[in-house]
């Protein structure tokens, strides 16, 4: 998009002096194929699901926290809620496969596939039919946001045990050794991380699938994670800007990119956390995160927190004067 | 403030999982001495001034750009303007000593000390009386913002040649070698930087003052820079949160901290640019900048751009549920 670069270079500032804001403006202009990009009705979608592997003790937090946090989201008291309110995000919370009966809880979107995945230490977490259902349902959620006028969307998750599934996807899809993909999750000490690793290593050794992307996602995946993959792919198809946060959502994008690499062109990485695994998968994707804030909450907090920076980029390209208009000496070649 | 830490630790998230947001919330709570901090009427003040040293060719941009950009600020087309509009900042633009007759331009605050400083290659940039005047006038501008109800303030500058003055302050106040304090300013190539360095080295060798902080600020300073120093000191006295941006404003804070170290407790660093000198002075101040965005525009863009992150921190501590209230299992020790 040479025209986009030219427009940015003629704004009243030394060339390149708005750094990352300039890069973001050019990326979003390219996504929307316009010199005057605009962001409409930002949406945040949280997919929730439980994981059979939690029975093996791979998570610091008990599984009951998944539904408890869903209630907290619905009541507006969680980390993601204040950020969504601050930045004017609409929110959808989806039950992709939480091991709890919500009894038609108002505003919770019931797309439950099953009461949690199977335990992949012994068998595939989901069936191929369940996988296809997740891809479809994730895609349909994005369609609804798009129909409401949204052109920028971020994703988050709630699912005790899903850092483990993410580590499994990561090692299988990137070839990075499992030991570098496993971290503390919501609070393990180094002993806990070791135990988590040894269980996941066992699960990896037990895996006898065909090694295709779909098979890996099926075998180790969470319902909430595969829905996020379907959602990301659909968002890219609809030429929406996708905001990515955290270890789990970054691995979902990794999975999506293995199916359709173009999804990366639509993605903006909100945040890089302190965990080695997150940094490695971001490096693998050649991602340049916007924030380094030490967040490790999930829920999509790192994506929504970074939204005003993306908004700044769009305002820059639309609102700044050009040298000619402002009668400022263009002080660069 | 142990109570602030306790409050943050009881919000519904794994301990420490909101990283920098938690640190910011605790800092602002401590500044305001409350468990429920609030930000009111954010203000951005730009001080403008010209520099006699520019006659020696130390700047890539011609001096005429200083008044041109002031007109651009007043018309709302500069980089800082769209950011101020985005984040609801009121703005004051101050003529501290610009070498141009604005003829009472509406809304420009006329605190002009002189038509630019003297050339410090040969003599002191300002007199001691001018220095005192700048400290007073900078302080008075902050008083006005405070009286309008502001408790958070950021500062920017416009002054062709002021990266040179900043480099001189930095080397004299920190002991870091001048060669590490000099950068490209608004666009020099490596030849230009070398020439700039050799002129500044000559100026440093010519300096025969008493080496006190005040004398260094007088000798090499810009009027806009000393006004910023006075403004920062007054903001801290009034217990306002101070947002710091860029190489020049960071050196103004450095100078302020040499007069009254407590000013650092009130300061939040918006951005670290790519220049070595900026990184070194931030390290010297043990600053932890919020953004690494490759900005080098000045005007205070890096401070105002980071404002929503500070706002997020305040919202976090006020709006998130506690574990007890939300009935979520507290999943950490």
């Amino acid at each position: 998009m040479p025209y986009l670069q030219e427009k940015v270079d003629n704004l009243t500032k030394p060339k390149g002096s708005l750094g990352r804001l300039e890069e973001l403006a050019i990326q979003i202009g390219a996504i929307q194929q316009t010199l005057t990009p605009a962001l409409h009705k930002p949406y945040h979608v949280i997919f929730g699901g439980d994981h059979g592997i939690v029975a093996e003790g791979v998570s610091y937090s008990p599984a009951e926290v998944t539904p408890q946090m869903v209630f907290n989201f619905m009541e507006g008291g969680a980390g993601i809620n204040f950020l969504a309110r601050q930045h004017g995000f609409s929110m959808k919370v989806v039950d992709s496969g939480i091991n709890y009966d919500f009894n038609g809880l108002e505003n919770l979107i019931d797309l439950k596939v099953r009461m949690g995945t199977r335990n992949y230490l012994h068998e595939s977490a989901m069936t191929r039919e369940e996988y296809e259902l997740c891809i479809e349902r994730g895609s349909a959620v994005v369609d609804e946001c798009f129909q409401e006028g949204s052109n920028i969307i971020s994703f988050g998750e709630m699912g005790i045990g899903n850092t483990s599934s993410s580590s499994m996807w990561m090692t299988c899809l990137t070839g990075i050794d499992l030991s570098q993909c496993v971290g503390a999750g919501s609070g393990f000490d180094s002993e806990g991380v070791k135990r988590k690793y040894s269980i996941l290593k066992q699960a990896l050794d037990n895996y006898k699938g065909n090694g295709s992307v779909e098979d890996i996602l099926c075998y180790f995946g969470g319902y909430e994670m595969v829905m996020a993959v379907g959602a990301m792919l659909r968002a890219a198809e609809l030429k929406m800007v996708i905001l990515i946060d955290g270890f789990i959502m970054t691995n979902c994008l990794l999975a999506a990119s293995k199916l359709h690499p173009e999804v990366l062109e639509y993605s903006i990485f909100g945040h890089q956390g302190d965990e080695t695994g997150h940094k490695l998968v971001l490096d693998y994707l050649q991602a340049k995160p916007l924030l380094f804030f030490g967040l490790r909450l999930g829920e999509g907090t790192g994506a929504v927190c970074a939204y005003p920076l993306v908004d700044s980029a769009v305002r820059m390209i639309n609102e700044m004067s050009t040298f000619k208009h402002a009668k400022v000496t263009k002080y660069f070649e």
Side-chain angles (χ1 to χ4, degrees), chain A:
Chain A
M1 294 287 286
Y3 293 112
L4 275 164
Q5 185 69 56
E6 192 184 319
K7 181 171 181 187
V8 167
D9 286 346
N10 272 300
L11 305 173
T12 48
K13 57 178 180 52
K15 194 170 173 174
S17 67
L18 283 176
R20 292 300 305 278
L21 295 182
E22 300 189 17
E23 294 171 19
L24 287 171
I26 289 168
Q27 182 185 0
I28 297 169
I31 289 172
Q32 300 184 355
Q33 291 289 304
T34 176
L35 294 173
T36 54
L39 303 177
H40 298 299
K41 202 171 170 54
Y43 238 113
H44 185 65
V45 179
I46 300 181
F47 295 102
D50 278 307
H51 294 254
I53 191 74
V54 167
E56 307 297 332
V58 294
S59 177
Y60 183 70
S61 307
E64 71 203 40
V65 170
T66 305
Q68 285 171 349
M69 284 303 296
V70 167
F71 283 109
N72 198 16
F73 297 149
M74 306 312 285
E75 282 162 20
I80 192 61
N81 294 107
F82 77 83
L83 290 166
R85 283 192 295 271
Q86 181 182 1
H87 300 311
F89 275 64
S90 302
M91 255 176 77
K92 287 189 195 290
V93 182
V94 178
D95 175 4
S96 306
I98 298 172
N99 186 18
Y100 184 87
D101 185 353
F102 289 99
N103 278 314
L105 178 65
E106 207 185 333
N107 292 322
L108 178 65
I109 301 176
D110 180 8
L111 301 179
K112 195 197 292 283
V113 174
R114 190 169 179 274
M115 288 282 188
T117 55
R118 297 164 193 84
N119 179 350
Y120 56 75
L121 185 61
H122 307 299
E123 59 181 322
S124 181
M126 65 182 81
T127 66
R128 188 58 183 252
E129 293 66 35
E130 288 169 351
Y131 167 87
E132 297 292 349
L133 204 59
C134 286
I135 294 282
E136 272 169 39
R137 289 182 177 178
S139 168
V141 170
V142 170
D143 276 328
E144 276 179 33
C145 300
F146 182 77
Q147 279 153 21
E148 289 181 41
S150 174
N151 68 1
I152 178 163
I153 191 162
S154 60
F155 299 106
E157 44 61 42
M158 185 64 224
I160 298 302
N162 63 14
T163 60
S164 291
S165 288
S166 300
S167 299
M168 299 306 280
W169 283 13
M170 180 178 162
T171 189
C172 292
L173 296 174
T174 65
I176 296 169
D177 192 78
L178 178 64
S179 62
Q180 297 198 271
C181 304
V182 174
S186 60
F188 270 138
D189 59 13
S190 62
E191 266 313 300
V193 176
K194 257 189 225 167
R195 212 168 48 239
K196 178 177 174 182
Y197 168 77
S198 74
I199 292 159
L200 296 183
K201 181 70 172 65
Q202 186 62 53
L204 188 61
D205 291 343
N206 291 350
Y207 172 64
K208 303 286 178 247
N210 67 18
S212 71
V213 176
E214 287 86 348
D215 197 61
I216 288 160
L217 303 196
C218 264
Y219 200 91
F220 299 110
Y223 298 125
E224 82 283 24
M225 292 167 63
V226 178
M227 281 198 198
V229 171
M232 289 172 185
L233 291 174
R234 182 62 180 150
E237 256 184 329
L238 294 168
K239 300 194 176 305
M240 296 170 81
V241 176
I242 306 171
L243 293 175
I244 299 293
D245 164 60
F247 183 62
I248 294 132
M249 285 299 112
T250 305
N251 277 294
C252 289
L253 181 67
L254 167 71
S257 76
K258 291 291 176 182
L259 297 167
H260 295 282
E262 305 83 348
V263 70
L264 294 175
E265 293 165 29
Y266 298 84
S267 300
I268 293 171
F269 296 83
H271 177 260
Q272 176 176 314
D274 294 334
E275 285 200 9
T276 312
H278 193 200
K279 184 181 182 325
L280 288 174
V281 65
L282 287 167
D283 286 350
Y284 182 89
L285 292 170
Q286 298 182 291
K288 292 173 68 180
L290 297 177
L291 294 174
F292 299 82
F293 251 41
L295 309 178
R296 51 184 173 80
L297 182 54
E299 305 178 5
T301 42
V304 177
C305 194
Y307 173 78
L309 304 166
V310 179
D311 190 21
S312 292
V314 169
R315 287 171 186 257
M316 177 199 75
I317 200 169
N318 289 312
E319 296 185 24
M320 272 184 82
S321 288
T322 58
F323 279 101
K324 202 169 166 190
H325 174 82
K327 301 198 185 78
V328 176
T329 308
K330 190 171 167 178
Y331 42 103
F332 53 81
E333 287 99 48

